[in-house]
């Protein structure tokens, strides 16, 4: 049975390019996550159309003003629907086998 996994990503003020590169890495994982939870801690600068139009990822976005990264991760973990939760920093670019490993 394939495990259902949620990925929580806190973002603060990252440019579109960084977030899109991270999502591209997630799309190419050998084991796919069931949901991606992005917790924005500052006003959302990234083009929502670019991020949320992904056909291969289920992305949920939450805005929680002025949370530190740990608080944003905890908030995202509480929103996750799966028992297995993986965390990524917005500047991380995981290898394709990251979730599988």
């Amino acid at each position: 049975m394939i495990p259902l996994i949620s990925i929580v990503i806190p973002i603060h003020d990252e440019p579109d390019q960084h977030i899109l590169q991270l999502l591209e890495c997630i799309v190419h994982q050998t084991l796919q996550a069931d949901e991606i939870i992005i917790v924005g801690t500052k006003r959302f600068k990234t083009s929502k159309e670019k991020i949320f139009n992904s056909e291969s990822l289920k992305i949920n976005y939450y805005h929680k003003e002025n949370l530190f990264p740990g608080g944003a991760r905890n908030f995202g973990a509480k929103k996750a629907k799966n028992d297995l939760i993986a965390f990524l920093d917005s500047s991380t670019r995981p290898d394709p086998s990251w979730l599988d490993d």
Side-chain angles (χ1 to χ4, degrees):
M1 184 169 128
I2 298 174
L4 298 178
I5 303 170
S6 300
I7 297 176
V8 175
I9 307 166
I11 61 170
H12 181 67
D13 197 15
E14 287 74 22
D16 286 2
Q17 186 70 5
H18 289 180
I19 296 170
L20 294 172
Q21 287 172 353
L22 173 56
L23 293 175
E24 187 68 21
C25 290
I26 293 171
V27 165
H28 289 100
Q29 289 293 302
T30 55
L31 175 64
Q32 289 296 305
D34 183 53
E35 71 174 339
I36 311 300
I37 298 170
I38 296 175
V39 182
T41 60
K42 194 172 181 181
R43 286 288 164 218
F44 202 78
K45 286 176 55 176
T46 301
S47 169
K48 288 184 181 179
E49 293 77 27
K50 288 182 184 178
I51 289 177
F52 298 113
N53 280 342
S54 173
E55 294 177 10
S56 54
L57 296 175
K58 180 183 176 213
I59 300 173
N60 296 315
Y61 173 78
Y62 299 95
H63 176 78
K64 294 301 283 184
E65 192 78 23
N66 297 323
L67 282 180
F68 288 105
R73 279 190 295 271
N74 291 343
F75 178 85
K78 288 178 184 174
K79 294 292 185 183
K81 68 177 185 179
N82 299 314
D83 290 333
L84 294 176
I85 303 171
F87 299 96
L88 280 173
D89 183 82
S90 59
S91 62
T92 303
R93 301 298 174 264
D95 290 329
S97 62
W98 168 67
L99 276 179
D100 214 3
D101 290 343

